[in-house]
């Protein structure tokens, strides 16, 4: 059912991933935040590779790398991102970019393969400056005002300044030509343990969960930590701690089977050892692919916060600062990935939702989209220890290239 | 038993306190952190006032203001501090300095009053750069290396740089001439509600509690907040929250009647909304004047931390970073303050420990020391809302001046 031409060049895939790993290397991972010198270097590296796939490349005005084919026939868009979280893993992003590049290298120059794969590296998927700025720009969902206001969350550097320094300022931002692509395909490491735990090779993504985010603020009474009796205190920090514990106790009975929630940051104000915190702020997040479940959990959260505030003598405000919308992956893309996996991965695939956000959820707003996962060792993610075996990487590449071929041939 | 010469000039005391309040004014309080422009201004203000008390003044190499008398007879050292916590109250520090200045102005020029009051403003009692650096320097307990290493806790500015900018670098640091003073007297606002609640005018400090401080670090597993199932998590932030709640539940049955404890800071690492914290650090503090009680509480803390760590799948380290030593106030000083209060405050005084640290605890290591408190409205402290009524301020000044007179006369 397949011909050998559709197979990936395994050595080339591994060599390219390792070449990217060397750009901004940190321990066994990389430190390649958006618009850092290594990140810009990696974009230029990709730009120089695109001609190998008979693609005309450019870096646009928001830092997206786009490779365009002049070949006749259907076009499939494929890609991921090249920047990393701070001090994080080598495959989160680059895996999908190199798979896309490899599929383009295999399919585009082959006159017997129908159509072409076009390659994209979306800027700032990791959210140093905003949320999916690169892919959202491509689907015409980013205003100039949003870019004006964007700042690096690590060092507050304005995005405009970073674009200027990178040499991208003043370039046009490219947007999708509607109807040009039959869809978008992205590969990624799983960032979880589902595949590894079940000895599977490929995850066929059914949906990308929505992310709901909250800022919870307790207001108590800032006072002296030595002279204020325990009974007289209104300790906002203790209130925040109580809410974390209350959520941990209350959410399990109200959540869905795959719901996750996280308090990623707690800030006590003023944060001095001898002062009772008068104010405490928590950044809290819930992810699920069912808005109904999250609605129930939000009600639960508000109730627990109110109870905790009352019990701690503190005022409390629960503010939703991000409302997630789950993205459904295209059914035909899912079937095609399964078909490719049956050929190249002994059928060791499973359908699963993605708990992490990906550019595919943005592209899915304007075209059919699909995603496939390869296993991650111990599920470690957003850490320089993140890794995947070479065997899983090259098997995933074969499945990816074959999926592209099948989609273009159909 | 007293003559009218020993009474404070009430209008002068209030005018001086309000003059200081205008230097670095913030809402109804002040923002006058150590070596800020307003703080340096306040030190110079005091320097210029010292001749009114027949004192030769200087600012030494650590920023202490010291006024020295050439008058014959016994000398009493008195003072407090002029810097504030960030955005904090107007009386915390200045009250004691102006009382000392007033006592010196009343007693020193009066040939019928025996001896002299010498005035000190100790630098950095509020601990922007360290712990009691000014008074500890005066008792020869600060090395040059400690100053080399000291940095502003708010902005990490090196203390050496701040001393240079203030013009104090290169000056000698003055130390106590042993035997020169019969003792040290300090006044302060209570920073609590004991006096106000019992309609009292003066607190006679019996001891200054010790402060024990701990850095508690939980180490879990940093991971992706979307892809890591709840059951697979080792959330260091949740562990820290659990410990706060466990302490709140466990300490009351093991503490003393006046023990207080506070978690003033919680830091989650990396502190991003989409990353499960791999590390959490708490700054935790216990205050009591009984080392035996604190020893019991420390054992309790270590036990709760270990239990919480185990229950959360996290490693935990409890590190004691400050070991408090309670300081006892001199019995004769206590009796003298009571005697002055019986004359000038209708005997409305009470003996009480100080839950806050003060320079008097440092001076007490080399000479007899005493402290008196005046009431604070609602016990508010380390906040710009801190206040004391004018009536309580001037009554306290009378008691203070009289205490100085009695101590010098005895």
């Amino acid at each position: 059912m397949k011909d050998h031409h559709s197979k990936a060049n395994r050595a080339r895939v591994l060599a390219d991933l390792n070449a990217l790993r060397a750009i901004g290397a940190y321990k066994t991972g990389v430190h390649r935040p958006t618009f850092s010198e290594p990140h810009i270097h990696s974009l230029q590296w990709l730009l120089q590779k695109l001609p190998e796939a008979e693609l005309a490349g450019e870096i646009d005005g928001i830092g997206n790398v786009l490779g365009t084919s002049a070949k006749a026939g259907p076009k499939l868009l494929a890609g991921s991102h090249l920047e990393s979280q701070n001090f994080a893993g080598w495959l989160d992003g680059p895996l999908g970019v190199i798979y896309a590049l490899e599929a383009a290298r295999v399919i585009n120059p082959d006159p017997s393969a129908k159509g072409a794969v076009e390659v994209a590296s979306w800027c700032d998927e990791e959210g140093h400056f905003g949320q999916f700025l690169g892919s959202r720009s491509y689907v015409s969902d980013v205003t100039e005002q949003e870019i004006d206001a964007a700042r690096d969350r690590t060092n507050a550097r304005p995005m405009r300044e970073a674009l200027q320094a990178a040499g991208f300022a003043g370039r046009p931002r490219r947007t999708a030509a509607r109807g040009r692509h039959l869809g978008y395909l992205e590969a990624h490491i799983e960032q979880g343990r589902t595949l590894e735990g079940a000895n599977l090779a490929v995850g066929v993504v059914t949906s990308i969960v929505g992310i709901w985010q909250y800022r919870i603020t307790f207001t108590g009474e800032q006072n002296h930590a030595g002279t204020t009796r325990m009974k007289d205190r209104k300790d906002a920090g203790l209130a925040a701690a109580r809410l974390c514990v209350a959520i941990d106790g209350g959410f399990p009975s109200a959540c869905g089977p795959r719901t996750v929630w996280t308090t990623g940051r707690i800030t006590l104000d003023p944060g001095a050892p001898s002062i009772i915190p008068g104010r405490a702020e928590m950044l809290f997040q819930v992810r699920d692919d069912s808005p109904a479940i999250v609605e129930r959990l939000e009600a639960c959260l508000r109730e627990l916060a109110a109870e905790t505030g009352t019990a701690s003598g503190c005022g409390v405000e629960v503010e939703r600062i991000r409302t997630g919308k789950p993205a459904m992956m295209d059914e035909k893309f899912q079937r095609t990935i399964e078909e490719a996996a049956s050929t190249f991965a002994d059928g060791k695939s499973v359908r699963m939702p993605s708990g992490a956000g990906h550019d595919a959820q943005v592209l899915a707003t304007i075209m059919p989209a699909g995603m496939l996962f390869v296993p991650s060792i111990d599920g470690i993610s957003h850490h320089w220890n993140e890794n995947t075996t070479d065997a899983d990487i090259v098997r995933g590449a074969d499945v990816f290239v074959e999926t592209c071929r099948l989609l273009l041939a159909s």
Side-chain angles (χ1 to χ4, degrees), chain A residues 91-132:
Chain A
L91 294 170
D92 184 341
L95 183 99
V97 172
I98 296 304
Y99 279 12
L101 174 66
E102 184 60 17
R105 282 189 296 213
V106 170
I107 292 168
N108 299 2
D110 181 355
S112 73
K114 191 174 167 191
V117 175
E118 297 196 323
V119 173
S121 171
W122 310 113
C123 196
D124 203 35
E125 191 267 354
E126 293 294 3
H128 291 276
F129 286 89
Q131 286 172 25
F132 301 109

Side-chain angles (χ1 to χ4, degrees), chain A residues 57-116:
Chain A
E58 72 163 322
I59 304 178
D60 83 346
I62 202 160
N64 287 338
V65 182
L66 297 160
T68 312
S69 168
K71 194 177 176 187
K75 309 277 183 301
L76 177 69
L77 187 60
S80 188
H81 60 93
L82 289 178
E83 82 283 341
S84 73
Q85 290 283 348
N86 293 331
F87 310 106
W90 69 302
L91 294 170
D92 184 341
L95 183 99
V97 172
I98 296 304
Y99 279 12
L101 174 66
E102 184 60 17
R105 282 189 296 213
V106 170
I107 292 168
N108 299 2
D110 181 355
S112 73
K114 191 174 167 191

Side-chain angles (χ1 to χ4, degrees), chain A residues 19-232:
Chain A
L20 283 171
R21 185 185 211 163
I23 303 173
Y26 175 78
K27 299 190 179 177
T28 61
V30 294
H31 178 57
R32 207 159 59 212
T34 304
F35 299 134
S36 62
E37 187 281 327
H39 178 228
I40 295 165
H41 183 172
S42 71
L43 300 180
Q44 284 157 348
W45 180 93
L46 175 62
L47 192 66
Q48 289 170 353
K49 284 282 178 186
L50 294 175
E52 295 177 10
E54 297 187 353
L55 292 169
E58 72 163 322
I59 304 178
D60 83 346
I62 202 160
N64 287 338
V65 182
L66 297 160
T68 312
S69 168
K71 194 177 176 187
K75 309 277 183 301
L76 177 69
L77 187 60
S80 188
H81 60 93
L82 289 178
E83 82 283 341
S84 73
Q85 290 283 348
N86 293 331
F87 310 106
W90 69 302
L91 294 170
D92 184 341
L95 183 99
V97 172
I98 296 304
Y99 279 12
L101 174 66
E102 184 60 17
R105 282 189 296 213
V106 170
I107 292 168
N108 299 2
D110 181 355
S112 73
K114 191 174 167 191
V117 175
E118 297 196 323
V119 173
S121 171
W122 310 113
C123 196
D124 203 35
E125 191 267 354
E126 293 294 3
H128 291 276
F129 286 89
Q131 286 172 25
F132 301 109
L133 282 170
S135 53
R136 282 177 47 233
S137 171
Y138 187 73
V139 305
S140 304
D141 187 28
V142 172
T143 63
E144 293 298 309
Q145 289 69 35
E146 183 172 353
I147 299 175
D148 289 343
R151 288 170 172 272
D152 190 321
R153 62 172 146 88
T154 304
N155 56 27
R157 184 190 192 198
M159 184 160 179
R160 289 287 184 204
E161 195 182 302
L163 284 165
Q164 188 74 43
F168 306 152
R171 299 188 187 182
R173 290 193 279 128
R174 296 299 174 195
T175 51
R178 304 298 163 109
R180 177 178 179 88
H181 300 108
L182 59 87
Y184 173 75
L185 185 67
E186 180 169 353
H188 208 277
I189 54 162
E190 185 201 336
Q191 306 173 273
R193 289 171 169 150
T194 304
L195 298 176
E196 186 186 55
N199 194 27
L200 294 168
V202 171
V204 181
V205 177
T206 52
S207 64
I208 298 173
V209 300
I211 302 179
W212 284 259
Q213 206 151 290
Y214 303 86
R215 183 184 297 117
I216 304 164
T217 310
F218 286 98
T219 308
E221 212 169 84
Q222 178 180 326
N223 220 327
H224 192 291
T227 57
T228 314
R229 303 275 192 105
M230 297 312 293
K231 67 172 181 52
D232 292 332

Side-chain angles (χ1 to χ4, degrees), chain A residues 188-394:
Chain A
H188 208 277
I189 54 162
E190 185 201 336
Q191 306 173 273
R193 289 171 169 150
T194 304
L195 298 176
E196 186 186 55
N199 194 27
L200 294 168
V202 171
V204 181
V205 177
T206 52
S207 64
I208 298 173
V209 300
I211 302 179
W212 284 259
Q213 206 151 290
Y214 303 86
R215 183 184 297 117
I216 304 164
T217 310
F218 286 98
T219 308
E221 212 169 84
Q222 178 180 326
N223 220 327
H224 192 291
T227 57
T228 314
R229 303 275 192 105
M230 297 312 293
K231 67 172 181 52
D232 292 332
R233 296 182 174 211
K234 295 175 179 176
D235 183 334
L238 180 58
R242 283 174 174 154
L243 180 57
C244 291
V245 173
I247 290 168
D248 182 57
F251 265 38
S253 59
C255 72
R258 287 177 181 276
T259 320
V260 289
W261 59 89
T262 308
T263 300
R265 193 185 301 168
I266 297 175
T267 311
L268 306 191
D269 187 47
S274 288
I275 307 184
I276 301 163
R279 195 172 166 282
E281 188 182 292
M282 295 166 54
L283 276 188
F284 181 71
Q285 187 183 88
V286 182
R287 300 189 188 211
D288 204 290
D289 60 5
S290 157
I293 287 173
V294 177
E295 216 164 284
R296 197 164 71 213
L297 291 173
E298 183 176 314
C300 176
L301 173 68
R302 291 182 186 279
E303 197 176 321
L304 293 173
E307 286 170 15
T308 307
T310 305
S312 310
C314 294
V316 63
E317 191 189 356
V318 177
E319 187 188 353
R320 194 203 296 151
I321 55 177
R322 181 172 170 182
T323 303
K325 204 168 27 176
M328 305 315 291
M329 296 294 100
D330 185 76
E331 172 58 30
K332 182 181 168 193
F333 273 60
Q334 294 181 51
R335 280 200 315 271
T336 308
I337 297 166
E338 283 174 329
E339 186 181 336
S342 73
T343 310
F344 284 98
D346 299 326
K348 288 183 168 178
S349 70
V350 67
R351 293 196 179 201
M352 59 188 290
S354 170
H358 294 287
D359 289 309
Q361 75 196 58
V362 177
L363 275 301
T365 63
I366 63 161
M367 61 177 86
M371 274 200 87
L372 70 86
F373 284 160
V374 299
S376 346
I377 297 171
D378 283 341
I380 294 168
S381 177
H382 288 184
H383 189 283
W384 50 266
N385 260 334
E386 167 231 286
N387 209 356
T388 294
T389 65
D390 283 1
D392 280 331
I393 290 174
V394 296

